[in-house]
Amino acid sequence: MQELEWQGLSHEEARRRLAAQGPNSLPQAQRRMAALLLHTVREPMFLLLLGAAVLYLALGDWQEGVALLAMAALTIGLALFQEGRTERALQALRDLSSPRALVLREGRALRIAGSEVVEGDLLLLAEGDRVAADAMLLRASGLRVAESQLTGESMAVSKCAAGGKQAPAAPGGDEMPFVWSGSLVLQGDGLARVSATGPRTELGKIGRSLQAVGSELSPMQRDANRMTRLMALAGVAVSLLAVVLYGLQGGDWLAATLAGVALTMSLLPAEFPVIMTVFLAIGAWRMARVQVLTRRLPSIDALGSITVLCTDKTGTLTENRMGVEQLYAEGEFLQMPAPVQAGLPAAFDELVRFAALASRPRASDPMEQAFHALAGAPRQDGLLREYPLSAGLRAMTQVWEEGEDDLATVAAKGAPETIGALCRLDDAQMAAMRGAADRMAAQGLRVLGVARAQHAASLLPAAQDGFSYSFLGLMGLADPLRAEVPDAVEQCHGAGIRVIMITGDYPATASSIARHAGLPQSDVLTGEEVERLDDAALRERLASATVCARISPMQKLRIVEALKANGEVVAMTGDGVNDAPALKSAHVGIAMGQRGTDVAREAAALVLLDDNFASIVRGIRLGRRIFANMRSAFSYVFAIHMPIAGMALLPALLGWPMLLYPMHIAFLELVIGPACSLAFEYEASDARAMARPPRRSNAPLLERATLAGALAQGVVGLLATALAYAWALQQMPAPAARAAGFSALVLVNLSLIFSNLSAARSAPLPRAGGNRVSQLVAAVTCAMLLLVLYVPPLGQAFQFGVLGALELGLAVAVGAACFVVNQAAMRAAVRWRRPTERKA
């Protein structure tokens, strides 16, 4: 064996280096659980949840208190899950970067754990091996390596042995004497000396950058936290005011305190975390039904507001496999797929057949797999000899036994100029072949030449150039575009989302894919240009770029950060190790579930289970639906709290008997809770959801117009309830008036539910028979109201008197009038808003 010319390290020296350098794996992530817990318990949402739970427990409402404590625990669990997600991503990188390795030590081949490889070790590489560390090749025989997980390029690259001292280089490119940790040997064999291990490898650098990238709150999370703080402060202030007013008015400070407790219970914004939790959890379930797995719940709302979608080419826009796109033979081109009812023309059929014969029967190289797919089942027997690809001759030849007259069939494929030289083409023939090859390359195709020969099977030459070849033609290959991508890209553009393709491939190939995908044509932004530009210039360049080619992993991350600095809400799709830092940095990282690496899946917020780019569009529609319904739910919560707070304060200000006690607030909460979560979540998507531009990244959850509408609805509900209670106090005793006033408040509540449900779809009226959950909530609420009104024990607990049919009819009329007024206002708002949207 030639490997015996090298002895490798001694066992003692290897142990010494392992102790000095550390294991060949990424360092363990620092544990920050204590700090994370402290940060979580300081969050306003958590503090309000905990405070509300303690308040409910102190009042003896164990069911409500335990439920809120469970929500508090869920808040901590979600935060710890995010920390665990980073740890799992890093662990996936460790597993990928530390395979088993075959090394030479003291002249003997020894298979060891990848984590035990040290700098200076000699790696024995063979087909199917995962490279354990960065290394320089001392010997290479037909060695071809897949580096797509590091470079993003789908095509394997050939390797050569180092000719003396070599300067360090980056992954990618043919005929380089370096191999990198995590890459896969597809063909040939070699011997390499390890130059870097663990965090010092190219893969390790990606891991360190992933660990350094921090997650951030979604826009909706920030808005919800801000509204929670504001509402909590307002609730405390109003509650204290109520206690003082009731106490001064009647001198009964215990009753005043009870009124303050009731008001505090009604104004504590416990609905906000309920809305966030329920909407996102059920939204994640709905996303899974359209093949989008949610790994980070807050990303759902950001998905509905993204403005830029950065997509990797390989395996995302394309199928991550090579396919034959074009053939050239006898001066003619044939575009694939071609109509083949009667078979390919003879010259093209021979070209395809010999391209397959020049490929290994059990091919692992994507190009050879493409040749076999086009030619049919590969030939399995009769292979006499293989002449592998080498640095000196960029072609490979296979010789097949024919079984008669000692003749063998010879098939060769390789670089067009190499095949032309082997066929000894004259100047005119070589110029024609090169012109055809250049034309195909300009379309972004990988071009290979194919030749054939016959030779005596018993007298095979020592090298490939010993055959007398005949030139057959050229094969143009490409990673095919997914069939559903053009339509998905068009829908993204219709929704106001700019699609940017970011790839490690060549500019010509990238432009070709972008053109077929339907991306707007623009100057290609190359990795070299990204390297030259400062941050400000890069942000300006990215304002119009749609294609980025020859981009390295670190440049992908820089591009995403530059887009974020431009105020864009960025989504990033990808499947390789090289995408992981950008996936985590983006507002929404979307990994491929089937072809994606563990690292990409663990780092992403969403995973496409079917690897279907079109699923992103369905996810965007769902994200917009979830946000619209959540906004309507928040609007409803704001609106309903105005009549509740008002009817807690007005009796004290006007000298009326108290209307709301804790029992009444608990009843209302039983309605508000399911309504603001389940009923609004179930509401269908607006038909025009994908015809609107994305929500501005800095827009609040409740914009001024929406907040003003909610306040107006609340004022209408408060006035209607107050007038009904005032009339009832003049007509009947206080207990019966309390029953009438409370009934009016409950029915006003129902009117606000249906008003805001129609607002979620920008429609002036609710859908007939549409939202069954809201109908169920309304039916159960009415049934509960009738029970507390007309079942004596319950009526006594609520301090109600007997309510006649006339008074109950008045309450129904109040709720209906409130709904009519709100619907009239909504119609006016819709008429005003639609011309504005058309102008936008």
Side-chain angles (χ1 to χ4, degrees):
M1 291 176 60
Q2 188 176 1
E3 288 88 326
L4 294 178
E5 298 176 10
W6 295 279
Q7 294 296 308
L9 299 176
S10 66
H11 296 301
E12 181 61 33
E13 177 64 16
R15 283 192 292 270
R16 188 188 68 79
R17 294 191 182 190
L18 183 62
Q21 300 169 4
N24 180 35
S25 59
L26 294 181
Q28 294 288 326
Q30 296 180 352
R31 296 287 182 177
R32 298 181 293 107
M33 292 301 176
L36 184 66
L37 280 171
L38 183 60
H39 172 76
T40 303
V41 299
R42 289 177 176 174
E43 284 294 318
M45 194 171 290
F46 176 81
L47 291 175
L48 288 169
L49 271 173
L50 191 61
V54 171
L55 183 59
Y56 281 126
L57 292 173
L59 292 171
D61 193 338
W62 291 95
Q63 182 179 4
E64 202 71 29
V66 170
L68 288 177
L69 285 177
M71 292 179 191
L74 181 60
T75 302
I76 295 179
L78 290 174
L80 296 180
F81 170 76
Q82 291 179 356
E83 179 70 13
R85 175 177 46 81
T86 302
E87 173 63 21
R88 286 192 299 274
L90 292 169
Q91 185 59 49
L93 266 176
R94 295 185 202 107
D95 295 341
L96 181 59
S97 64
S98 185
R100 302 289 293 178
L102 187 64
V103 300
L104 274 178
R105 287 184 180 173
E106 296 182 352
R108 296 179 57 190
L110 181 66
R111 190 166 294 278
I112 62 174
S115 59
E116 298 176 5
V117 173
V118 297
E119 292 181 17
D121 257 329
L122 296 180
L123 292 178
L124 288 166
L125 302 175
E127 185 173 326
D129 286 349
R130 182 76 68 178
V131 180
D134 291 359
M136 183 175 68
L137 287 163
L138 304 176
R139 183 185 62 77
S141 176
L143 190 64
R144 291 177 62 78
V145 179
E147 298 175 347
S148 62
Q149 291 181 324
L150 290 168
T151 65
E153 296 185 36
S154 58
M155 293 174 289
V157 293
S158 59
K159 298 294 180 179
C160 64
K165 189 174 182 180
Q166 297 282 335
D174 283 322
E175 298 302 327
M176 296 183 64
F178 301 100
V179 289
W180 284 273
S181 175
S183 57
L184 180 66
V185 178
L186 294 180
Q187 184 177 311
D189 55 73
L191 180 72
R193 177 176 285 114
V194 175
S195 58
T197 60
R200 296 171 293 280
T201 64
E202 291 296 318
L203 190 64
K205 294 173 184 176
I206 295 175
R208 289 206 307 272
S209 66
L210 173 62
Q211 190 174 4
V213 176
S215 299
E216 58 182 61
L217 293 176
S218 70
M220 190 166 59
Q221 282 180 307
R222 293 192 293 268
D223 288 345
N225 285 343
R226 179 175 55 84
M227 288 190 296
T228 299
R229 289 191 295 267
L230 292 176
M231 200 161 179
L233 292 174
V236 171
V238 172
S239 298
L240 291 175
L241 178 61
V243 170
V244 172
L245 290 175
Y246 275 115
L248 293 176
Q249 183 186 43
D252 188 347
W253 289 97
L254 179 59
T257 302
L258 187 61
V261 168
L263 189 55
T264 301
M265 290 174 61
S266 68
L267 293 180
L268 274 176
E271 295 90 356
F272 287 174
V274 170
I275 293 172
M276 294 288 292
T277 301
V278 171
F279 270 69
L280 295 181
I282 299 180
W285 172 75
R286 294 191 185 278
M287 299 280 276
R289 294 182 66 187
V290 297
Q291 301 299 308
V292 181
L293 176 66
T294 304
R295 298 189 58 84
R296 192 190 309 167
L297 292 181
S299 66
I300 294 177
D301 79 280
L303 181 63
S305 61
I306 62 172
T307 59
V308 174
L309 173 57
C310 297
T311 173
D312 184 51
K313 176 185 74 69
T314 304
T316 308
L317 292 177
T318 66
E319 298 179 4
N320 198 24
R321 64 174 180 85
M322 299 301 292
V324 178
E325 294 286 320
Q326 197 173 70
L327 306 177
Y328 172 80
E330 296 184 349
E332 299 290 335
F333 290 93
L334 181 64
Q335 191 68 34
M336 303 298 292
V340 292
Q341 289 83 356
L344 291 172
F348 294 106
D349 183 72
E350 186 179 32
L351 171 64
V352 170
R353 185 165 63 90
F354 274 85
L357 287 175
S359 305
R360 293 184 174 184
R362 293 183 175 85
S364 55
D365 185 282
M367 289 187 295
E368 294 186 338
Q369 292 174 348
F371 294 150
H372 287 313
L374 184 59
R379 183 174 174 178
Q380 298 292 341
D381 58 347
L383 181 62
L384 293 177
R385 182 170 177 179
E386 176 186 312
Y387 296 85
L389 189 77
S390 66
L393 194 66
R394 300 188 64 184
M396 70 170 292
T397 298
Q398 294 198 138
V399 182
W400 297 88
E401 182 180 17
E402 294 300 337
E404 56 183 30
D405 299 328
D406 192 37
L407 285 180
T409 297
V410 182
K413 71 177 192 305
E417 61 274 13
T418 303
I419 293 297
L422 288 175
C423 295
R424 299 175 177 84
L425 300 180
D426 59 31
D427 291 344
Q429 292 172 327
M430 185 67 80
M433 185 272 294
R434 284 176 175 166
D438 290 343
R439 173 178 166 179
M440 297 170 77
Q443 301 174 47
L445 303 179
R446 176 73 178 269
V447 185
L448 292 181
V450 181
R452 64 166 297 176
Q454 281 193 323
H455 202 277
S458 59
L459 297 173
L460 296 179
Q464 297 182 67
D465 55 9
F467 298 104
S468 180
Y469 291 101
S470 298
F471 180 72
L472 294 179
L474 302 173
M475 307 280 287
L477 300 101
D479 192 359
L481 187 73
R482 292 181 181 273
E484 63 274 11
V485 163
D487 182 62
V489 170
E490 183 179 357
Q491 292 186 55
C492 286
H493 291 160
I497 300 169
R498 185 160 61 101
V499 180
I500 300 178
M501 185 175 73
I502 303 177
T503 177
D505 221 329
Y506 291 96
T509 304
S511 295
S512 176
I513 291 291
R515 183 172 60 255
H516 288 95
L519 295 180
Q521 295 301 298
S522 64
D523 293 336
V524 177
L525 176 63
T526 64
E528 293 181 358
E529 188 178 353
V530 171
E531 199 68 30
R532 293 194 307 267
L533 296 175
D534 59 23
D535 291 343
L538 180 60
R539 290 198 299 270
E540 183 179 357
R541 184 74 170 83
L542 286 170
S544 59
T546 57
V547 180
C548 303
R550 303 301 287 171
I551 301 297
S552 70
M554 293 300 98
Q555 289 171 338
K556 286 188 176 185
L557 176 59
R558 189 179 171 210
I559 287 172
V560 171
E561 295 291 352
L563 289 168
K564 290 167 64 177
N566 279 345
E568 307 284 4
V569 178
V570 183
M572 167 73 184
T573 69
D575 60 357
V577 174
N578 60 303
D579 297 322
L583 285 172
K584 187 178 181 184
S585 176
H587 295 99
V588 182
I590 309 171
M592 301 296 111
Q594 295 179 1
R595 290 184 172 90
T597 61
D598 289 340
V599 179
R601 287 192 292 268
E602 294 293 334
L606 303 174
V607 178
L608 297 184
L609 298 178
D610 58 357
D611 284 12
N612 191 338
F613 188 83
S615 295
I616 299 175
V617 178
R618 293 191 290 269
I620 291 172
R621 177 181 288 277
L622 268 175
R624 293 189 174 192
R625 165 190 168 176
I626 291 167
F627 173 78
N629 290 346
M630 191 177 295
R631 180 175 55 191
S632 295
F634 275 103
S635 176
Y636 159 71
V637 170
F638 266 99
I640 188 55
H641 277 85
M642 287 201 64
I644 293 176
M647 293 312 297
L649 281 175
L650 279 179
L653 293 173
L654 301 177
W656 296 347
M658 187 185 303
L659 175 64
L660 298 177
Y661 287 93
M663 184 67 73
H664 304 117
I665 301 299
F667 182 100
L668 291 171
E669 287 297 321
L670 288 177
V671 179
I672 295 173
C676 71
S677 54
L678 299 179
F680 281 90
E681 194 285 328
Y682 192 79
E683 186 68 8
S685 176
D686 186 355
R688 303 179 66 249
M690 294 298 287
R692 297 191 183 94
R695 183 173 68 104
R696 292 180 294 109
S697 61
N698 59 348
L701 181 60
L702 290 181
E703 296 179 323
R704 288 183 179 179
T706 306
L707 184 59
L711 294 176
Q713 291 181 50
V715 169
V716 170
L718 173 59
L719 290 176
T721 306
L723 290 174
Y725 189 43
W727 177 86
L729 287 173
Q730 293 178 353
Q731 303 296 323
M732 60 193 74
R738 182 176 296 110
F742 182 74
S743 299
L745 181 56
V746 169
L747 293 171
V748 163
N749 183 13
L750 292 181
S751 76
L752 291 175
I753 292 174
F754 286 100
S755 294
N756 284 278
L757 282 173
S758 59
R761 296 176 292 105
S762 301
L765 290 171
R767 291 179 301 142
N771 192 330
R772 290 172 299 189
V773 175
S774 63
Q775 296 167 4
L776 180 61
V777 168
V780 172
T781 300
C782 291
M784 291 172 56
L785 179 60
L786 292 175
L787 287 175
V788 300
L789 288 176
Y790 297 109
V791 175
L794 293 177
Q796 293 175 3
F798 277 77
Q799 302 185 38
F800 287 162
V802 177
L803 191 65
L806 177 63
E807 291 78 10
L808 182 61
L810 172 65
V812 173
V814 168
C818 185
F819 179 77
V820 170
V821 171
N822 287 331
Q823 289 299 298
M826 187 174 298
R827 285 193 183 94
V830 169
R831 285 195 298 268
W832 175 83
R833 185 166 58 240
R834 283 181 175 169
T836 305
E837 290 177 355
R838 284 195 292 268
K839 291 178 183 179

